[in-house]
Amino acid sequence: MAALCTVRHRWKRLKCLQIFTRNLTGRYDYDLVVIGGGSGGLACSKEAAQLGQKVAVLDYVEPSAKGTKWGLGGTCVNVGCIPKKLMHQAALLGTAVKDAKKYGWQMPETLRHDWAIMAEAVQNHVRSLNWGHRVQLQDRKVKYLNLKGSLLDEHTVRGLSKAGKETVLTAKNIVIATGGRPKYPTQIPGAVEHGITSDDVFWLKQSPGKTLVVGASYVALECAGFLTGIGLDTTVMVRSVALRGFDRQMAGLVTDYMEAYGTRFVWGSVPQRVDRLPSGPLQVTWNDSETGREHKDTFDSVLWAVGRAPETKTLGLDKLGVQLNQETGKIVVGPDESTSVPNVYAFGDIGEGRPELTPTAIKAGKLLAHRLAGQSTDLMNYDNVVATTVFTPLEYGCVGLSEEEAERRRGKDGIEVFHAFYKPLEFTVAERDASQCYIKVICDRGGDQKILGLHFTGPNAGEVIQGFSMSLQCGATYPHLLQTVGIHPTCAEEVVKIHITKRSGLDPTVTGC
């Protein structure tokens, strides 16, 4: 045993000497090592390889508290954007089937959704994307390692396999793109033991049944929306406000529509405990923050959507001196995604102050790859022109400033808000309520009336906002909108027809076609 220990120590000294020598001579195993195989990390690694860099990417998924695990591709592919949008589509189809009767389709009186069929189809598509990412890495000669990465120094990464086998890699530059995972409110008894998160819901084999969604982020509302849409009894418990950080008026329209759609909201309430009853269901106890009264109800599932935590704790950043925001745990980064340690970069959800959006991470990763390869000096533009959409039953898309933020920056008298309530043509024959279909364009009041923000609730909001986001990148003004000819009949054309201001006090309801 003593001889074995001696050999082990000698091996460790030789390995350290090897790393030290490489650092002195400037010779590394790779030009770039990326830790994190999500959308951003993969985009960065593939782009760097196409620019002639020798690249390795490390990705390892720790199973969720419920044991859920998945393949290469990160949150978006496996437990985020992709399965969410597909299940949202399932819910929209349910609504379309109801509308179809008004359009003359003879439909059965009762319709039933089969969770297992939907889940299997969604999961099979996700697995095809996992495989596709591996093929793309291979085609671009990026070395993929299913290892849990951490930093030993600014040029050295240690990878651990599931079996505990260690692999050491050196690189000229290291990029961290590990993203985040859902939080559990561990202070609430039974929360972890009996609850699930967005890491689990898309991989359930059986329907979650009657569900309590705790939280009011876009993740919470999107999940509650598609669960309601496929016919499940769904409640959202909100501590304070919904869609924090988004425009307040628009957030209100989203939740108003959801309530009319069938989602129950419990406002100003905080869960106290979750217990499994002998009969099987979960009993949730909560307090009303306003009255202080205690309430109880039973559910089949409790889905926690109370925020996300960056995956930075196991990276060895503290030993290396990488600066973190102590409150959020995120990495402090510069405009060029650099950290406080030379040759170590970070971007995506783990970057302090960065939007937690997949397309943002992809774009930032590609730009970083070009800079590290010496091909460009272009930086990612994060300044309020990144569009996004919340895929709730009535979709909400936006780009630029909220009305509150615009007013804070310019003053109430410094902005002009054009707005309109409209009715999508598709809603007319189906006799659907369009009370929350709304458009708001926020502009500078003076000068050329530059557009500061654009907000839209209605069908296909993401498709509508995507085009207008480009116009904001180009410095679009309100006169530009007026000069644009709309496509008729569409919801998007209502944006270019908008002409009534909030300041005027006139009724903004669109009449006629």
Side-chain angles (χ1 to χ4, degrees):
M1 179 61 73
L4 180 60
C5 289
T6 301
V7 170
R8 282 178 177 170
H9 288 307
R10 186 180 299 134
W11 179 79
K12 287 182 179 179
R13 287 197 299 271
L14 285 171
K15 184 168 65 174
C16 291
L17 179 61
Q18 182 184 41
I19 293 168
F20 178 69
T21 304
R22 279 178 177 156
N23 288 346
L24 282 178
T25 61
R27 297 197 311 273
Y28 305 103
D29 300 327
Y30 296 93
D31 297 306
L32 177 66
V33 168
V34 178
I35 303 176
S39 301
L42 292 176
C44 181
S45 61
K46 289 185 287 188
E47 195 75 8
Q50 287 188 306
L51 294 170
Q53 301 276 286
K54 186 179 180 183
V55 184
V57 58
L58 280 68
D59 186 64
Y60 183 85
V61 179
E62 285 285 359
S64 73
K66 292 299 175 186
T68 308
K69 52 189 177 181
W70 50 86
L72 182 65
T75 296
C76 175
V77 167
N78 295 282
V79 289
C81 319
I82 299 302
K84 175 273 303 290
K85 182 71 181 293
L86 291 173
M87 292 191 179
H88 171 62
Q89 175 64 12
L92 293 180
L93 288 172
T95 301
V97 168
K98 295 172 186 175
D99 290 350
K101 294 180 181 180
K102 295 285 187 178
Y103 281 93
W105 287 94
Q106 300 300 307
M107 309 297 294
E109 288 302 315
T110 58
L111 292 170
R112 188 179 69 86
H113 181 268
D114 191 315
W115 174 278
I117 291 176
M118 175 190 70
E120 183 179 8
V122 170
Q123 291 160 14
N124 285 341
H125 177 66
V126 168
R127 291 189 184 99
S128 74
L129 296 178
N130 298 148
W131 176 250
H133 281 306
R134 295 187 69 160
V135 170
Q136 288 174 18
L137 291 177
Q138 185 174 0
D139 288 347
R140 289 166 175 76
K141 296 181 171 53
V142 175
K143 180 70 174 177
Y144 163 61
L145 298 165
N146 184 210
L147 302 174
K148 187 173 185 178
S150 60
L151 280 70
L152 297 178
D153 62 38
E154 66 270 28
H155 293 291
T156 312
V157 171
R158 177 178 61 188
L160 280 179
S161 70
K162 183 179 179 180
K165 182 181 178 181
E166 183 179 279
T167 301
V168 175
L169 304 88
T170 60
K172 181 180 179 182
N173 293 301
I174 299 170
V175 167
I176 306 169
T178 47
R181 298 288 289 270
K183 293 179 183 177
Y184 271 98
T186 53
Q187 76 280 7
I188 297 175
V192 179
E193 182 183 358
H194 302 303
I196 61 173
T197 69
S198 57
D199 274 0
D200 308 296
V201 68
F202 303 109
W203 291 90
L204 296 176
K205 301 296 183 184
Q206 297 179 335
S207 169
K210 180 183 177 183
T211 303
L212 172 67
V213 179
V214 183
S217 63
Y218 71 90
V219 174
L221 298 190
E222 288 176 337
C223 288
F226 72 68
L227 291 174
T228 302
I230 61 174
L232 299 182
D233 185 339
T234 308
T235 300
V236 178
M237 186 170 291
V238 186
R239 182 187 61 183
S240 53
V241 300
L243 294 178
R244 186 180 300 279
F246 287 87
D247 186 280
R248 290 295 83 217
Q249 181 187 12
M250 306 306 291
L253 292 170
V254 168
T255 54
D256 286 351
Y257 186 90
M258 288 184 68
E259 287 189 289
Y261 185 71
T263 306
R264 178 186 172 216
F265 280 80
V266 179
W267 297 95
S269 297
V270 180
Q272 299 302 304
R273 61 181 302 109
V274 182
D275 298 291
R276 174 78 68 183
L277 297 177
S279 56
L282 300 173
Q283 179 176 270
V284 179
T285 304
W286 72 89
N287 282 352
D288 185 309
S289 302
E290 187 174 332
T291 66
R293 291 182 58 187
E294 184 177 278
H295 300 270
K296 294 182 180 181
D297 199 355
T298 57
F299 302 89
D300 298 310
S301 300
V302 176
L303 194 161
W304 301 102
V306 293
R308 298 178 65 82
E311 287 280 86
T312 54
K313 291 183 178 179
T314 61
L315 293 172
L317 303 181
D318 51 343
K319 296 178 183 178
L320 199 57
V322 175
Q323 184 182 354
L324 302 178
N325 180 308
Q326 295 305 311
E327 290 185 9
T328 64
K330 294 189 174 186
I331 300 173
V332 177
V333 291
D336 61 350
E337 324 300 350
S338 60
T339 70
S340 57
V341 174
N343 306 105
V344 177
Y345 300 83
F347 69 93
D349 292 8
I350 55 165
E352 180 60 37
R354 299 302 194 227
E356 295 185 3
L357 298 168
T358 295
T360 308
I362 291 172
K363 184 68 174 175
K366 289 182 177 180
L367 288 172
L368 176 59
H370 278 261
R371 293 195 301 274
L372 294 180
Q375 300 294 313
S376 171
T377 58
D378 291 346
L379 300 175
M380 178 67 190
N381 179 9
Y382 293 102
D383 189 25
N384 302 305
V385 288
V386 177
T388 190
T389 292
V390 184
F391 290 99
T392 38
L394 185 70
E395 297 176 7
Y396 165 38
C398 60
V399 59
L401 303 180
S402 66
E403 186 174 348
E404 292 81 13
E405 181 62 19
E407 189 174 308
R408 187 187 69 80
R409 295 190 185 191
R410 300 289 204 273
K412 191 158 190 166
D413 292 332
I415 62 172
E416 196 73 84
V417 180
F418 297 87
H419 67 150
F421 284 97
Y422 70 100
K423 188 162 191 172
L425 183 62
E426 300 89 334
F427 282 28
T428 55
V429 171
E431 298 179 351
R432 286 174 61 184
D433 180 24
S435 302
Q436 290 83 30
C437 292
Y438 180 71
I439 300 166
K440 176 159 60 176
V441 180
I442 306 159
C443 307
D444 276 326
R445 192 178 180 191
D448 59 4
Q449 291 187 287
K450 181 180 179 181
I451 298 175
L452 305 174
L454 197 157
H455 302 260
F456 176 99
T457 51
N460 306 303
E463 312 298 340
V464 172
I465 286 295
Q466 181 68 81
F468 286 107
S469 68
M470 178 179 170
S471 70
L472 264 68
Q473 284 274 5
C474 300
T477 65
Y478 178 64
H480 286 144
L481 277 189
L482 297 184
Q483 294 162 15
T484 302
V485 178
I487 301 171
H488 186 69
T490 63
C491 295
E493 73 172 314
E494 301 300 340
V495 178
V496 302
K497 290 161 56 179
I498 204 162
H499 64 282
I500 294 176
T501 67
K502 279 191 173 184
R503 194 183 306 276
S504 72
L506 298 174
D507 182 359
T509 304
V510 174
T511 57
C513 66

